[in-house]
Amino acid sequence: MSGNTKLDLVLLWHMHQPDFRDHATGEYAQPWVYLHAIKDYSDMAAHLENHPKVRAVVNFTPVLLDQLEDYADQFASGRFRDPLLRLLAHPDLYRLDAAERDLVLRCCFKANHHKMIEPYPAYRRLWDFYTLTQQPGTAGETYLSAQYLGDLLTWYHLAWVGETVRRRDQTVPQLLAKRRTSRTPTACSSSS
């Protein structure tokens, strides 16, 4: 192929997620729709915005669009049907019950450790401390305070934020640079 040959290329992005809602309660069983929206979908849209001459076909399945609209409604109303978002916005992490604490610990390390935990020393320390609490002969999760849970919720969500959001929104770099808060921990206000 010579340097003057034109190549016709079509990018096709097919976006889909299963329906993660419990249809009896409206509660979400998994956070993957909003996590991929703040990471992958926002980055993909930004790439297309930055290169207006690129032509691409982006296909969103109806069930995904319905869930994205539902998340937009959750943010607009402040009534979260996604348990992790509800915990992230929880006004007082000292008041979490055992099931809520377990949810934070069970979910907030579900990330690619090499790409999403290792690059952030504070998030990595949270993982290291958690693994220490899981060793036989330790007091276990009793060491994991409300501050720890708030830091973990915050770092989990920060690790999922897409690169374009990191670069365009000043809140994300400020949170990434922050070490610890001095106020009563709420998930949204604390970071390690």
Side-chain angles (χ1 to χ4, degrees), residues 57-72:
V57 176
V58 183
N59 179 41
F60 286 87
T61 61
V63 70
L64 175 58
L65 287 174
D66 186 48
Q67 289 177 94
L68 289 170
E69 288 174 4
D70 186 58
Y71 273 106

Side-chain angles (χ1 to χ4, degrees), residues 18-36:
D19 197 338
F20 288 111
R21 293 171 289 195
D22 177 322
H23 290 282
T25 65
E27 290 281 306
Y28 280 82
Q30 298 291 334
W32 305 127
V33 170
Y34 87 85
L35 291 176
H36 284 289

Side-chain angles (χ1 to χ4, degrees), residues 10 14 16 46 76 90 105-106 110-111 113 115 139 143 166:
V10 175
H14 178 69
H16 61 92
H90 198 286
L105 296 171
R106 195 170 17 93
K110 285 184 181 177
H113 281 242
K115 293 180 180 180
Y143 285 115
R166 290 172 200 260

Side-chain angles (χ1 to χ4, degrees), residues 129-191:
F129 190 71
Y130 176 75
T131 58
L132 285 173
T133 68
Q134 302 305 298
Q135 294 178 7
T138 65
E141 295 167 3
T142 58
Y143 285 115
L144 304 179
S145 68
Q147 181 71 50
Y148 177 90
L149 296 173
D151 290 350
L152 181 54
L153 276 162
T154 302
W155 276 104
Y156 177 71
H157 285 87
L158 287 173
W160 272 95
V161 171
E163 286 301 316
T164 48
V165 175
R166 290 172 200 260
R167 293 177 187 159
R168 292 180 181 173
D169 184 327
Q170 291 304 308
T171 305
V172 176
Q174 289 170 356
L175 287 171
L176 288 170
K178 195 174 182 180
R179 285 293 186 223
R180 189 170 292 280
T181 65
S182 59
R183 29 180 277 188
T184 302
T186 62
C188 291
S189 68
S190 59
S191 63

Side-chain angles (χ1 to χ4, degrees), residues 88-109:
L88 186 64
H90 198 286
D92 185 358
L93 295 177
Y94 286 107
R95 296 181 184 265
L96 295 185
D97 62 30
E100 291 168 323
R101 288 176 58 85
D102 180 62
L103 180 67
V104 173
L105 296 171
R106 195 170 17 93
C107 293
C108 289
F109 290 118

